């Protein structure tokens, strides 16, 4: 069995980890700031809090466009130090549940739980423990379990916050059939 820990909007969460007072506010994360003040308004929005997105702020628009839709919009820029700290936190947490894990993308860690008896018997219980652990560190996690790592990732991305699709090919087929094609994140290349 495999588990996937997924931290949605990872880059933004990494920033908000140390700025918890902003978590319930409309906040967006922008690409790297330009050299001049004139360029700052042209920075593109990469990620946003639910509060920002509820004000019709959209991923891909400029900071200026976002502020026009939401007057109280807080702007943050990517910070490699915060991202590195959050990544290290993710990896150290994974190591506590299994020695066999891999950081498979930004904010995603795949766990091989073959030897974890709790995962085999009660995966949802283990998932709730993982979610609580991240919550204590001011990070929102979603956890998915499946018999294949790619399916576990899809389950984690759909989880609210924990879900398991295991030991039944019919359940896996049903889960995959209900997914929108966009969930597969296919590239045009």
């Amino acid at each position: 069995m495999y588990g996937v820990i997924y931290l949605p909007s990872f880059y933004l969460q990494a920033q908000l980890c140390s700025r918890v007072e902003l978590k319930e506010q409309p906040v967006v994360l922008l690409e790297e700031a330009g050299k001049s003040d004139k360029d700052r308004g042209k920075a593109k929005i990469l990620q946003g809090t639910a509060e920002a997105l509820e004000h019709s702020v959209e991923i891909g628009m400029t900071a200026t466009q976002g502020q026009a839709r939401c007057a109280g919009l807080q702007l943050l820029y990517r910070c490699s130090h915060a991202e590195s700290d959050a990544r290290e936190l993710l990896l150290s947490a994974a190591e506590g549940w299994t020695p066999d894990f891999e950081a498979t993308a930004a904010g995603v860690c795949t766990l091989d739980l073959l030897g974890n008896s709790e995962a085999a018997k009660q995966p949802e219980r283990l998932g709730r423990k993982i979610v609580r652990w991240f919550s204590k560190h001011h990070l929102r996690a979603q956890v998915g379990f499946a018999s294949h790592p790619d399916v576990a990732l899809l389950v984690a991305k759909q989880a609210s916050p924990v879900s398991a699709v295991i030991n039944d090919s019919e359940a896996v087929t049903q889960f995959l059939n209900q997914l929108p094609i966009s969930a597969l994140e296919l590239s045009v290349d």
Side-chain angles (χ1 to χ4, degrees), residues 62-120:
T62 66
T64 303
Q65 290 170 325
Q67 288 176 313
R69 292 189 179 188
C70 180
L73 188 65
Q74 301 286 318
L75 306 176
L76 299 176
Y77 290 93
R78 284 190 63 182
C79 172
S80 59
H81 185 285
E83 292 168 14
S84 177
D85 288 350
R87 182 177 186 275
E88 288 303 313
L89 196 62
L90 175 60
L91 296 178
S92 66
E95 192 172 28
W97 288 293
T98 181
D100 301 317
F101 63 92
E102 179 182 355
T104 46
V108 178
C109 191
T110 302
L111 314 173
D112 182 341
L113 296 168
L114 185 62
N116 186 310
S117 62
E118 184 175 8

Side-chain angles (χ1 to χ4, degrees), residues 31-45:
E31 62 192 1
E32 189 175 338
K35 301 267 188 226
S36 71
D37 287 339
K38 180 181 171 185
D39 293 337
R40 289 183 186 266
K42 295 178 182 176
K44 300 276 188 208
I45 295 173

Side-chain angles (χ1 to χ4, degrees), residues 5-18 23 28-30 46-49 59 76-93 103-109 133-134 137-142 153 157 185:
I5 302 169
Y6 170 59
L7 305 177
S9 299
F10 174 72
Y11 299 121
L12 179 58
Q13 280 206 73
Q15 283 279 57
L16 293 175
C17 216
S18 62
K23 281 198 174 198
V28 293
L29 184 72
L30 303 171
L46 302 175
Q47 296 175 339
T49 61
I59 306 304
L76 299 176
Y77 290 93
R78 284 190 63 182
C79 172
S80 59
H81 185 285
E83 292 168 14
S84 177
D85 288 350
R87 182 177 186 275
E88 288 303 313
L89 196 62
L90 175 60
L91 296 178
S92 66
T104 46
V108 178
C109 191
W133 189 92
F134 280 97
H137 291 87
H138 306 289
L139 291 166
R140 184 173 56 89
Q142 294 174 206
L153 175 60
K157 287 185 174 186
E185 299 175 356

